[in-house]
Amino acid sequence: MSDRQWEELDGEPGTVEAKGRKYTELAEAIARSVTTLQQIVDDTNTTAKSMDKTRTLAGQVREDIEKARQRYSQTGEALTSYGASLRAAKNEADPAAQRLRTLRADLETAQATAQSAENGVDDLPKDASDADKADAQRAQTNANTAVSDLQGQITQAESEWNSGHGDKDTAARTAISKIEEVVSGDKVNGLEDSGWDKFKNVVKGVYKVFKIICDIAGILAIFLSWVPILGQVLMVLAAIGSIISIIENIVKFARGEIGFGAMLLGVGLGVMGLFGGKAIGSIAKYAKARSVVQTAGRMSNSAAKAKFGAALLKSSRKTFAMTKGQRVGEVLKSPFVRSAGDKAVAGMFKNGLYKNAFKSWQGSKFPLPYKDGGARFALGNDDVVDMMKHMSQSGLRIDGVTSAAQSIASVGAVFNQAATLGNNAAKLGTSIGGGDGWGGFSSGNSLATSGAGGSWGKITGLPGNINTAVTGLTDTFGHDGYVAGKW
């Protein structure tokens, strides 16, 4: 069970009972349809051959759905009964939990008073009067009595909490037993999952695990993309995770599970995860290259080389001369390509320069004590940090376009880093918490594999999560639970 000792019991009795009533209503609807189908079978007044086939089909359908009636009826009964028992258990345990918090605080105060009273007796001077001794002893007795009374009340409250908690556990086991009978026990009536259903469940489980791996890789890649082989694997997995996120949001929107705004936000974050960092880095490199080329254009060749160096001049002219198509192509292939800084660190490790590589890596990924570490961690983009360091030089020509590109790259890097970290953490939390993702392999409409052929939200029109409401049942069976619409 998920209950925490001496705290209010988990579970929402009203929601559980509402779900139970819905199952019961479905069972009653099935019973009515069975009656109607039986009337068709029994109708002998119409002798047309088409009606003979209709009666035969009605009989076959009636037999099939009659098997499902007991499943819904017994599940509804189990949930309704459990909901009532859960309410009674909470009515007993929850007030006790609330009293315990107050009583324990009072006990601490009373124990402190008793200790003070005991010290008062021990500290009495030898020449204390009989009246003073009597007052000190009376105070000690009263304080000890108060402690004993509070301990007795705490014991009583704990007994009440244990009683309510035990009743909840018993009711949960009873409900589970009843549901198991119609799911996998003596009353399954041939409604077992097919081999294809089981295969889909396995694939769905594998998909969830892989999605979690991709979400973890999305976080680790930020810090370990420099590691030879591992860094490349992490980047690929992180890119796949972003692609999955984009597809999930599109599919959810198509199914009506999220609105247009939520879909745009999800897709936007996914696209940022794929291309945001490289796009911002490309803008930063352009701003840096533009300032170098335009500044060098006003200087002699020797003076430009002295200021920037031949290598920077060459690379800047090459970057500045790139076409829009080349820049876009560089961004599109970026999810699977490590940065120049990561490649340089990996090369140091490969060549045995471990000390230099470690310092370079630390300075690139974490704050102090390494130089530029704080900026690199906040921005998450080596190209932007290099651009900012370059722009701090004096004597550079920075026109309006360069200044705008510099601002976009700086602000964009901070936003992209924060959004990427937050989004990856949120995706990981959702995946670990049991999120279904796009539901590509979720249960179908067979009575054997889905609760009334659809998700709870669509069936009942009620808010809330049955997994949260039926605490005790779902804890036993795992996140999905039998009563969550996933048999």
Side-chain angles (χ1 to χ4, degrees):
M1 301 296 176
S2 64
D3 297 313
R4 299 180 63 180
Q5 192 175 37
W6 316 135
E7 294 187 7
E8 287 83 352
L9 301 181
D10 288 336
E12 301 172 19
T15 304
V16 177
E17 290 172 329
K19 304 304 182 184
R21 288 194 297 272
K22 286 298 179 181
Y23 262 109
T24 301
E25 291 170 3
L26 287 166
E28 292 171 352
I30 290 173
R32 290 193 296 271
S33 66
V34 168
T35 300
T36 301
L37 290 169
Q38 185 62 48
Q39 290 173 350
I40 296 174
V41 173
D42 294 340
D43 181 15
T44 59
N45 294 326
T46 305
T47 59
K49 289 184 179 180
S50 59
M51 279 306 300
D52 289 340
K53 293 182 179 180
T54 299
R55 279 192 290 268
T56 300
L57 179 60
Q60 294 172 346
V61 173
R62 181 190 61 77
E63 293 174 1
D64 288 338
I65 65 175
E66 170 62 24
K67 294 177 182 179
R69 183 194 60 77
Q70 186 176 18
R71 166 168 289 190
Y72 290 107
S73 177
Q74 188 157 320
T75 299
E77 179 185 342
L79 289 178
T80 302
S81 177
Y82 175 68
S85 298
L86 176 60
R87 176 176 285 103
K90 286 176 68 66
N91 287 341
E92 182 176 12
D94 289 0
Q98 294 164 7
R99 290 203 312 277
L100 279 170
R101 285 194 288 270
T102 301
L103 289 171
R104 293 188 192 282
D106 292 343
L107 178 61
E108 289 185 8
T109 302
Q111 287 172 331
T113 301
Q115 183 62 49
S116 178
E118 182 179 348
N119 292 338
V121 172
D122 294 339
D123 295 340
L124 282 172
K126 293 181 179 180
D127 59 349
S129 65
D130 292 340
D132 289 341
K133 291 179 180 179
D135 288 342
Q137 290 172 348
R138 188 182 305 109
Q140 183 182 26
T141 300
N142 291 339
N144 288 336
T145 299
V147 170
S148 298
D149 289 343
L150 285 169
Q151 288 174 333
Q153 293 179 54
I154 288 174
T155 300
Q156 177 62 30
E158 288 179 348
S159 176
E160 293 174 8
W161 188 92
N162 283 326
S163 176
H165 185 253
D167 290 344
K168 175 188 173 182
D169 287 356
T170 300
R173 284 191 291 269
T174 300
I176 289 168
S177 178
K178 288 184 177 179
I179 294 172
E180 279 186 327
E181 279 187 331
V182 292
V183 172
S184 58
D186 297 336
K187 299 180 181 180
V188 69
N189 289 329
L191 292 179
E192 299 91 348
D193 284 352
S194 67
W196 175 243
D197 292 321
K198 294 175 181 178
F199 173 75
K200 288 195 297 182
N201 289 334
V202 171
V203 173
K204 183 179 179 182
V206 172
Y207 163 76
K208 285 186 176 182
V209 172
F210 180 69
K211 186 172 182 292
I212 291 174
I213 292 174
C214 290
D215 293 337
I216 294 174
I219 296 175
L220 294 180
I222 296 173
F223 305 105
L224 300 177
S225 56
W226 58 273
V227 179
I229 300 177
L230 174 62
Q232 293 164 314
V233 171
L234 289 175
M235 290 190 66
V236 171
L237 289 174
I240 293 174
S242 295
I243 294 171
I244 288 175
S245 178
I246 293 171
I247 297 174
E248 279 183 352
N249 282 277
I250 293 174
V251 172
K252 284 181 179 179
F253 174 71
R255 290 182 170 183
E257 297 174 11
I258 60 174
F260 183 71
M263 185 270 290
L264 282 182
L265 177 62
V267 171
L269 288 172
V271 172
M272 280 183 61
L274 279 173
F275 309 113
K278 190 65 176 182
I280 291 168
S282 179
I283 294 173
K285 288 196 294 184
Y286 172 77
K288 177 181 177 180
R290 185 181 181 92
S291 71
V292 170
V293 172
Q294 291 191 338
T295 302
R298 297 189 173 192
M299 306 167 65
S300 66
N301 191 44
S302 59
K305 286 183 178 181
K307 182 174 182 60
F308 299 115
L312 178 58
L313 279 172
K314 183 178 180 180
S315 62
S316 295
R317 287 164 179 162
K318 182 178 179 181
T319 299
F320 186 66
M322 290 175 66
T323 64
K324 291 182 179 180
Q326 289 173 324
R327 297 183 196 280
V328 171
E330 187 180 62
V331 170
L332 291 179
K333 68 180 181 181
S334 66
F336 308 98
V337 178
R338 291 183 298 176
S339 69
D342 286 339
K343 290 180 181 178
V345 174
M348 293 178 194
F349 265 88
K350 185 177 180 180
N351 294 321
L353 303 174
Y354 304 116
K355 184 177 179 180
N356 293 340
F358 182 75
K359 287 185 177 181
S360 178
W361 165 60
Q362 287 280 54
S364 297
K365 303 301 177 184
F366 291 102
L368 300 176
Y370 296 100
K371 184 180 180 182
D372 301 327
R376 291 181 186 277
F377 181 79
L379 296 168
N381 195 305
D382 292 345
D383 292 323
V384 177
V385 175
D386 291 341
M387 175 203 71
M388 294 176 70
K389 289 175 62 179
H390 169 78
M391 295 299 185
S392 66
Q393 298 180 55
S394 60
L396 295 178
R397 182 174 186 272
I398 302 177
D399 60 7
V401 175
T402 305
S403 179
Q406 178 185 359
S407 299
I408 293 172
S410 301
V411 175
V414 174
F415 177 79
N416 183 73
Q417 175 78 332
T420 299
L421 287 171
N423 186 42
N424 286 341
K427 287 195 301 178
L428 179 59
T430 300
S431 298
I432 294 176
D436 283 341
W438 64 4
F441 298 99
S442 60
S443 300
N445 290 329
S446 81
L447 293 173
T449 57
S450 92
S455 67
W456 263 114
K458 293 180 180 178
I459 296 169
T460 65
L462 296 174
N465 188 333
I466 191 68
N467 297 321
T468 302
V470 194
T471 302
L473 298 180
T474 54
D475 287 340
T476 299
F477 288 114
H479 174 78
D480 288 342
Y482 284 120
V483 295
K486 299 178 182 179
W487 295 100

